[in-house]
Amino acid sequence: PNGPLSLNIEAFVPVTTRSLVLLAMKLIVYVSIALVAILPAQGYPNGPPLAACGSMAPNPTKELGHGAPPMTTSPPFSVAIDVPCTGYEAGNKYKMTLKSTSRRFHIEGLFCQVRKHDGTSTTAVGTFSDFIPQTKAKALACTHPDGAVSHKVEDPVDMFEASWTAPLTPPNYDLRVFCTVVHETDEYWLKVPSGFFIPRTSNNNSCVHGRCMKTNTTAVCQCESGYRGANCDSGNTND
């Protein structure tokens, strides 16, 4: 009675009111857990983090990434680069084109690098620039500045183009463009490849009298009539 006044607030709150408050708090917790479980994964709408430079793979977990593993079906996208059969020249620019091959699928997300053709290296080669549409993409510093290109917005497109600049010191192996392509958050294809391409040297001045025929695994010359050899550079036109 002679000490400071102390009030027990709970004593003034009816039991029914306290019960309702506790019940409401429990409901909030349960609803929050349920929303986390049913909401779709968001991925990276502004492009992948630099930590993905090596694997080029989205995080498959729902909490941190796309909520699904990559698709294993044939990709409904194609990747091409306009390097001729004679090879790329150091410092030159070449157009890379990524496009949908099906009306059902669109390019919502993308992540492209040029690497060793067999996929055994994670080193990015050359640089990317000149994006079309420009608002869709940005360069990323994978291996070195501008060593990769990725989306920066989720707006879907059917085709994307960029310039690839060959390095001043070309590596001593063949190259491909590899693109991870996202159609929807849980529908993406990992490292879709282009055909392979090579640096230009004095030894691969191919198709002198013929046409270069490129596939995903090789490039050969189809010689004009009267010419023969790997580079169509020998023979007699009177044969």
Side-chain angles (χ1 to χ4, degrees):
N2 297 325
L5 182 63
S6 176
L7 293 176
N8 184 352
I9 300 298
E10 291 185 357
F12 292 88
V13 180
V15 173
T16 54
T17 302
R18 291 202 306 271
S19 299
L20 288 173
V21 170
L22 291 174
L23 179 60
M25 293 177 65
K26 288 181 180 179
L27 284 173
I28 291 173
V29 172
Y30 293 150
V31 169
S32 299
I33 293 173
L35 285 175
V36 170
I38 65 174
L39 285 176
Q42 297 301 309
Y44 293 94
N46 304 121
L50 290 177
C53 283
S55 67
M56 295 185 67
N59 191 314
T61 64
K62 180 175 290 188
E63 294 79 8
L64 300 175
H66 284 245
M71 303 294 290
T72 57
T73 55
S74 179
F77 306 98
S78 66
V79 184
I81 189 165
D82 66 350
V83 175
C85 278
T86 51
Y88 63 86
E89 296 192 38
N92 279 11
K93 282 187 177 183
Y94 300 92
K95 184 173 74 173
M96 181 210 77
T97 303
L98 167 65
K99 65 180 181 179
S100 170
T101 57
S102 169
R103 291 183 178 180
R104 177 177 174 269
F105 294 94
H106 307 284
I107 303 166
E108 186 174 283
L110 62 97
F111 189 19
C112 300
Q113 297 180 36
V114 172
R115 292 180 171 184
K116 189 176 181 181
H117 71 287
D118 60 5
T120 59
S121 172
T122 59
T123 299
V125 179
T127 57
F128 285 98
S129 60
D130 308 327
F131 311 132
I132 301 175
Q134 184 178 9
T135 55
K136 176 66 178 175
K138 63 181 180 181
L140 287 181
C142 292
T143 304
H144 48 254
D146 304 334
V149 58
S150 84
H151 65 280
K152 65 179 179 182
V153 294
E154 289 185 308
D155 299 341
V157 296
D158 293 325
M159 184 169 70
F160 172 77
E161 295 178 346
S163 293
W164 176 74
T165 301
L168 296 178
T169 304
N172 60 350
Y173 47 77
D174 298 345
L175 301 173
R176 292 183 195 266
V177 183
F178 292 94
C179 290
T180 294
V181 190
V182 178
H183 165 59
E184 291 182 345
T185 302
D186 58 353
E187 234 179 329
Y188 62 93
W189 285 260
L190 183 63
K191 290 188 280 192
V192 180
S194 72
F196 83 94
F197 50 99
I198 57 177
R200 183 170 187 172
T201 69
S202 59
N203 297 324
N204 68 326
N205 186 21
S206 60
C207 306
V208 178
H209 297 284
R211 184 175 59 156
C212 177
M213 304 295 290
K214 292 178 70 174
T215 70
N216 279 343
T217 58
T218 188
V220 296
C221 291
Q222 185 177 44
C223 298
E224 298 172 2
S225 177
Y227 291 93
R228 60 182 181 274
N231 298 327
C232 302
D233 56 354
S234 62
N236 187 330
T237 56
N238 294 321
D239 288 352

